[in-house]
Amino acid sequence: DFGLHFFAINYPLCPEASLAQIEQAVLPSVAAVQGELKSAGTSGLPLAVMGHSAGGQLAALLALAGRAGPATASKAAVDGVWGISGVYDLEPLLDTTLNERLQLDNEAARRANVSRRVGPQAPPGLWMVGAAETASFVRQNAEMHAAWSIAGNSSRCCEVAGADHFTVLASVAPGGPGTTGVFGAWWA
């Protein structure tokens, strides 16, 4: 049994904002949440970020951002990250109709690939995907877990049986389908 504080982080969307602008928009959110927790007298609680789909990429980005700046900082500003069906590598999207909104070129897609930014001393990561999702989502989830692990960080990979890109969200709640032991073990 546990409680938690929940903060939803809003960000601009493509094509009105580029991916670089979206990254810059979310980076201050961790400091803002830490300030809110301090004001509430709960600053000693662990702080984890979670995101689904494109939000999974942003959650990983926040987990890699240090207290003083980007992934080059020595300590992450959060205590954990949970990516759910994340899109971590945007290069496969270059030749899709989705890129009409993203407006990516090869260089922008390469720079936005958060799995290439993973280094040591990142917080623990949990990477969850629905087993019934496309092969690309399942592959990206496994690759993010591998990148996190290869860098020497604690990482868990979870495929939720029978879940697709949207029904996987039912597994987020403690005790939800497919989470037997995953949620509790990760937060323990």
Side-chain angles (χ1 to χ4, degrees), residues 46-64:
L47 177 60
V49 291
M50 174 177 32
H52 173 254
S53 200
Q57 182 213 26
L58 296 174
L61 171 75
L62 291 172
L64 295 172

Side-chain angles (χ1 to χ4, degrees), residues 14-17 93-105:
C14 295
E16 290 77 25
L93 300 178
L94 287 171
D95 296 325
T96 68
T97 56
L98 184 58
N99 198 27
E100 292 170 15
R101 293 193 60 79
L102 297 175
Q103 300 178 353
L104 294 170
D105 59 23

Side-chain angles (χ1 to χ4, degrees), residues 147-163:
W148 218 260
S149 297
I150 289 167
N153 304 305
S154 175
S155 184
R156 297 193 62 186
C157 186
C158 177
E159 287 187 27
V160 180

Side-chain angles (χ1 to χ4, degrees), residues 24-188:
Q24 291 307 307
V26 300
L27 283 173
S29 63
V30 171
V33 168
Q34 288 170 330
E36 289 294 322
L37 291 173
K38 185 175 182 179
S39 294
T42 56
S43 60
L45 295 175
L47 177 60
V49 291
M50 174 177 32
H52 173 254
S53 200
Q57 182 213 26
L58 296 174
L61 171 75
L62 291 172
L64 295 172
R67 294 186 197 289
T72 57
S74 62
K75 182 176 181 335
V78 299
D79 300 298
V81 58
W82 191 349
I84 306 163
S85 302
V87 181
Y88 309 108
D89 176 4
L90 298 162
E91 292 175 74
L93 300 178
L94 287 171
D95 296 325
T96 68
T97 56
L98 184 58
N99 198 27
E100 292 170 15
R101 293 193 60 79
L102 297 175
Q103 300 178 353
L104 294 170
D105 59 23
N106 287 331
E107 181 60 24
R110 188 191 63 70
R111 278 194 317 268
N113 184 338
V114 72
S115 62
R116 291 185 180 180
R117 301 181 193 186
V118 180
Q121 299 183 12
L126 174 60
W127 314 103
M128 179 183 280
V129 68
E133 294 196 50
T134 65
S136 182
F137 278 108
V138 172
R139 177 187 52 76
Q140 287 210 26
N141 192 68
E143 288 175 356
M144 194 62 179
H145 165 64
W148 218 260
S149 297
I150 289 167
N153 304 305
S154 175
S155 184
R156 297 193 62 186
C157 186
C158 177
E159 287 187 27
V160 180
D164 63 29
H165 192 68
F166 300 103
T167 60
V168 70
L169 293 170
S171 298
V172 171
T179 62
T180 308
V182 173
F183 190 92
W186 188 63
W187 286 97

